[in-house]
Amino acid sequence: DQQVKQNSPSLSVQEGRISILNCDYTNSMFDYFLWYKKYPAEGPTFLISISSIKDKNEDGRFTVFLNKSAKHLSLHIVPSQPGDSAVYFCAARSNTGNQFYFGTGTSLTVIP
Amino acid sequence: DAGVIQSPRHEVTEMGQEVTLRCKPISGHDYLFWYRQTMMRGLELLIYFNNNVPIDDSGMPEDRFSAKMPNASFSTLKIQPSEPRDSAVYFCASSLARLLETQYFGPGTRLLVL
């Protein structure tokens, strides 16, 4: 059973606009959340993270929002650039151990 | 540093054959992870090691899968016998113990079992 869900397999956004990628989780024991970015034929690379004690973390054009009551997090990319076109994976860590659970990914296409 | 190295990058085999995937983690990293990526299930953690010792293999799908880490610079994931449903991209990742939240992934091995 998927504990981390990304319900949108794909998203297309115009260059310069905001991209919003969503992620839902089911396990209230998760204490750390991450976003990874993956280009074709490469491994995922870490993008940004957020602890469960925070509700927002910002790094340049990338912001992650966490809504613990809704068990939902989102990644905002503003402004979106063509180089942002990739698959984005949401991940969560259980506070019971060093285990990570990943979503199925959202493929973002930024149209020039 | 060359990053996490995986070999082979592509593997095509026939059902029933043994498959061995290899991984060289980043030097000095204490943790090593094996993942499998499929369209339906995304990235799944199969097993991870700490200081060459397997810590959690609960993600290994069946007894057909086995993983070893004989030393700090090498790990293998073996599938014997392989089945078509094992077709996926297999990633190896490593991390420093104190930076577990940030894993460095290899480029992956794309496995196709016919």
Side-chain angles (χ1 to χ4, degrees), chain A residues 1-2 32 34 36 38 41-46 89 93 97-104, chain B residues 9 31 33 35 37 39-43 45 48 56 58 91 100-103 105-107:
Chain A
D1 186 30
Q2 286 286 121
Y32 204 84
L34 308 90
Y36 280 78
K38 182 186 177 305
E42 295 182 10
T45 56
F46 170 73
F89 289 97
R93 183 185 72 184
N98 292 325
Q99 290 188 335
F100 285 79
Y101 300 87
F102 282 80
T104 52
Chain B
R9 293 295 306 275
Y31 285 81
F33 304 80
Y35 289 90
Q37 183 195 1
M39 291 293 291
M40 292 300 296
R41 301 180 66 84
L43 273 166
L45 177 64
Y48 77 92
D56 189 337
S58 59
F91 290 101
L100 185 59
E101 300 88 332
T102 306
Q103 298 181 20
F105 283 77

Side-chain angles (χ1 to χ4, degrees), chain A residues 26-95:
Chain A
T26 58
N27 192 335
S28 58
M29 302 298 281
F30 290 150
D31 67 349
Y32 204 84
F33 304 88
L34 308 90
W35 285 93
Y36 280 78
K37 179 179 181 179
K38 182 186 177 305
Y39 291 118
E42 295 182 10
T45 56
F46 170 73
L47 183 60
I48 191 170
S49 63
I50 186 168
S51 167
S52 60
I53 63 173
K54 295 185 176 181
D55 55 18
K56 176 183 176 182
N57 187 28
E58 188 173 353
D59 183 2
R61 297 186 295 113
F62 302 90
T63 303
V64 57
F65 294 92
L66 176 62
N67 182 336
K68 289 188 291 294
S69 60
K71 293 190 176 65
H72 176 84
L73 67 157
S74 61
L75 174 68
H76 293 211
I77 307 173
V78 181
S80 300
Q81 299 174 354
D84 297 328
S85 297
V87 176
Y88 290 80
F89 289 97
C90 169
R93 183 185 72 184
S94 170
N95 65 6

Side-chain angles (χ1 to χ4, degrees), chain B residues 22-79:
Chain B
R22 297 173 177 80
C23 175
K24 176 179 169 55
I26 293 173
S27 177
H29 281 192
D30 298 323
Y31 285 81
L32 183 139
F33 304 80
W34 282 101
Y35 289 90
R36 177 173 66 176
Q37 183 195 1
T38 61
M39 291 293 291
M40 292 300 296
R41 301 180 66 84
L43 273 166
E44 298 175 277
L45 177 64
L46 301 177
I47 184 173
Y48 77 92
F49 296 82
N50 179 210
N51 292 322
N52 314 336
V53 177
I55 302 301
D56 189 337
D57 65 354
S58 59
M60 296 286 261
E62 298 173 34
D63 291 344
R64 299 183 296 106
F65 286 70
S66 63
K68 294 182 180 179
M69 192 165 185
N71 57 63
S73 60
F74 183 65
S75 178
T76 59
L77 177 67
K78 185 175 295 185
I79 308 173

